[in-house]
Amino acid sequence: MLTVNDCTYTKDDLKRCEQQFAMHSIWKTAEQWRIAVCPQEIEKWIALLLYVKKRGGSIVPIHPSTPLAAAKKIAVQARCAYLFFHTFETPLTLSNPVSTFPPGLVQFSSGTTGVPKQLERSWSSIDEELAAYTERMARVDVDTVVVACPVTHSYGLISGVLAGLSQDKEVVVLTAQNPKYVLKKLTDYPNHLLYGAPPLLYALAKLSNGDTLQAVMTSGTRLPEEWFQSIQSNSQMLLQQYGCSEAGCISIAMPLRFSEELGVPLRHVQAKAGTARNNPSEIQVTIGRRTINTGDLGYIDQDGALCFRERLDDMINVAGLNVYPHEVEHVLREHPSVEDAVVYKKADSYAGERVCAQVSARTETLSLPELRSYCISRLAPHQVPHEMTIVEEIAKSANGKVSRVKLGEAKG
């Protein structure tokens, strides 16, 4: 059973949607095209995905909030024949490809480390991931999967919706991610597993009374220590999954023991990384015959769990000394007047790279000289931000990620 906000749809309802697609002039030959969809009716989008998957088509989901011009640009970049923008009936015709595309799901990386990259995953690779994922998640005894994150992204779509449906769970999609609304809806599903971005989960933890959150799944970025402690203490079980767009979900920590933990790899994945926290190396995963370099720096602990240290691209080299941004962010967040912080790098003609930071403040009294003195007293000289900016709010994507590359490239 599928519920979107307050409306519930049975398997028969979804089947009727599929029957309608089978009569549509374009969807009835879905296997011949690559088609982009920017959906508003989420229940129809999920029914369409299941239909296209069965037909062996190639589909490109686009976040519903994307403006038409941007959606068209994405669809053209993906070489789609058609774009269905806020409709499943009348498309924009973009091109007429000479040959068909391999069947599967086409997505774009989040772009947090640069220009978003087009990624193609076959339906068979997604089925392999789903089989391993549902096997692992069978250990979590819940009735309802609540997805409070975008279902045009693999985290909400594959790990949340498709995995939930494959386990015969009731799947609830909440399109409005207002924390008070989500918290209220969760009271209707007391035995739930909630999928959400870290900022939402932290906001829910602060609002909850300690007994509203059941099982909680996070993904996308490592939880700051304060967020980890708050979410863990205000939920019955905190889980974290780790993955990348090329491979899907790689591992799950269940429960999450500490913020760096990424969990034991799923059965279809082989992983290599560093041997200890002070000896990390790039996490490399092998699925079948394909080896993927994740770009993440990590290690495998004595229990066989992957652990995360930093994005390789985010590491800051100050005159030959490595700076881990999250360590500086942790110090900044410990300041009583700091709400949030992000640390990034900029080129420096003298040191090679310099440490920069943006912080959002809890109070109007926070000053840069005070913050700099605070850092000097708690960080090594090469870790102290060379430049800092106090902002109203740190911009994050729908998945709770910050683009450090964009911050580093910004002027000023």
Side-chain angles (χ1 to χ4, degrees):
M1 189 161 60
L2 172 69
T3 298
V4 179
N5 299 324
D6 298 315
C7 296
T8 298
Y9 306 89
T10 65
K11 288 183 179 179
D12 287 340
D13 293 327
L14 297 180
K15 195 173 184 73
R16 277 191 288 271
C17 285
E18 290 186 38
Q19 290 170 346
Q20 291 173 3
F21 294 133
M23 297 172 63
H24 189 278
S25 60
I26 293 172
W27 293 123
K28 70 181 182 181
T29 56
E31 65 276 8
Q32 296 181 16
W33 317 103
R34 172 168 288 172
I35 302 174
V37 181
C38 185
Q40 281 191 320
E41 297 173 276
I42 297 303
E43 69 285 355
K44 287 188 178 181
W45 154 240
I46 293 169
L48 175 66
L49 180 83
L50 296 172
Y51 169 80
V52 172
K53 185 173 181 289
K54 287 178 187 176
R55 294 296 298 250
S58 178
I59 196 161
V60 182
I62 299 173
H63 192 281
S65 66
T66 307
L68 175 58
K72 189 173 180 179
K73 183 177 180 181
I74 292 170
V76 169
Q77 183 180 341
R79 296 182 295 160
C80 294
Y82 303 102
L83 165 63
F84 285 81
F85 185 80
H86 296 178
T87 177
F88 295 93
E89 298 298 327
T90 308
L92 295 172
T93 302
L94 302 174
S95 64
N96 293 297
V98 176
S99 59
T100 58
F101 293 94
L105 185 68
V106 181
Q107 297 182 292
F108 289 83
S109 65
S110 61
T112 55
T113 57
V115 178
K117 182 172 64 172
Q118 181 177 319
L119 303 162
E120 301 180 19
R121 292 196 62 199
S122 67
W123 295 122
S124 60
S125 73
I126 291 172
D127 284 339
E128 182 181 40
E129 176 193 349
L130 282 170
Y133 190 91
T134 54
E135 179 185 279
R136 180 70 60 82
M137 293 304 294
R139 306 176 193 176
V140 182
D141 185 18
V142 297
D143 302 322
T144 308
V145 171
V146 180
V147 183
C149 55
V151 293
T152 47
H153 183 271
S154 57
Y155 173 52
L157 181 61
I158 299 175
S159 301
V161 174
L162 295 186
L165 292 175
S166 69
Q167 296 174 80
D168 290 324
K169 306 288 187 185
E170 180 177 5
V171 175
V172 178
V173 178
L174 303 179
T175 58
Q177 277 124 51
N178 177 287
K180 291 183 178 179
Y181 169 74
V182 173
L183 204 60
K184 182 176 181 296
K185 293 298 293 182
L186 289 176
T187 60
D188 296 333
Y189 310 99
N191 190 26
H192 62 258
L193 168 61
L194 171 66
Y195 286 76
L200 172 65
L201 300 182
Y202 179 52
L204 292 174
K206 290 196 295 183
L207 288 171
S208 74
N209 54 16
D211 60 2
T212 303
L213 302 179
Q214 181 66 20
V216 175
M217 177 72 80
T218 182
S219 180
T221 183
R222 172 187 33 215
L223 293 171
E225 192 61 31
E226 180 187 351
W227 294 21
F228 167 69
Q229 297 291 344
S230 178
I231 299 169
Q232 184 186 56
S233 62
N234 285 284
S235 59
Q236 298 300 309
M237 177 185 282
L238 172 58
L239 302 91
Q240 175 162 276
Q241 68 179 63
Y242 166 69
C244 62
S245 300
E246 296 94 329
C249 182
I250 293 168
S251 61
I252 308 174
M254 46 191 308
L256 182 62
R257 298 172 297 169
F258 51 96
S259 59
E260 285 187 354
E261 185 184 16
L262 301 175
V264 176
L266 299 180
R267 62 171 166 81
H268 70 300
V269 177
Q270 293 180 312
K272 293 182 180 179
T275 56
R277 192 175 190 273
N278 60 357
N279 185 34
S281 63
E282 184 175 10
I283 299 173
Q284 186 182 77
V285 297
T286 301
I287 301 175
R289 297 180 179 179
R290 188 182 181 199
T291 298
I292 300 166
N293 295 315
T294 64
D296 293 328
L297 196 62
Y299 61 98
I300 299 175
D301 71 9
Q302 59 185 6
D303 297 315
L306 278 171
C307 301
F308 179 83
R309 288 293 278 141
E310 201 66 72
R311 283 288 303 175
L312 279 169
D313 290 341
D314 293 339
M315 285 279 290
I316 307 172
N317 187 313
V318 179
L321 299 172
N322 286 334
V323 176
Y324 294 93
H326 80 276
E327 292 181 348
V328 181
E329 290 168 355
H330 177 64
V331 169
L332 287 167
R333 289 191 184 102
E334 285 189 321
H335 189 288
S337 296
V338 171
E339 177 68 32
D340 199 2
V342 59
V343 170
Y344 54 98
K345 61 187 173 186
K346 285 188 177 181
D348 186 277
S349 57
Y350 175 72
E353 293 174 344
R354 63 179 182 270
V355 182
C356 304
Q358 276 191 9
V359 300
S360 59
R362 299 180 194 272
T363 66
E364 296 180 359
T365 59
L366 180 65
S367 68
L368 289 176
E370 174 195 353
L371 203 54
R372 188 171 302 281
S373 297
Y374 178 85
C375 290
I376 289 171
S377 68
R378 288 164 174 80
L379 293 167
H382 66 283
Q383 293 178 302
V384 176
H386 182 271
E387 59 182 71
M388 286 188 281
T389 309
I390 298 175
V391 296
E392 197 169 308
E393 184 178 5
I394 293 171
K396 295 183 174 70
S397 70
N399 299 310
K401 295 183 179 181
V402 175
S403 176
R404 301 178 197 272
V405 169
K406 289 181 181 178
L407 289 173
E409 291 174 347
K411 295 180 180 180

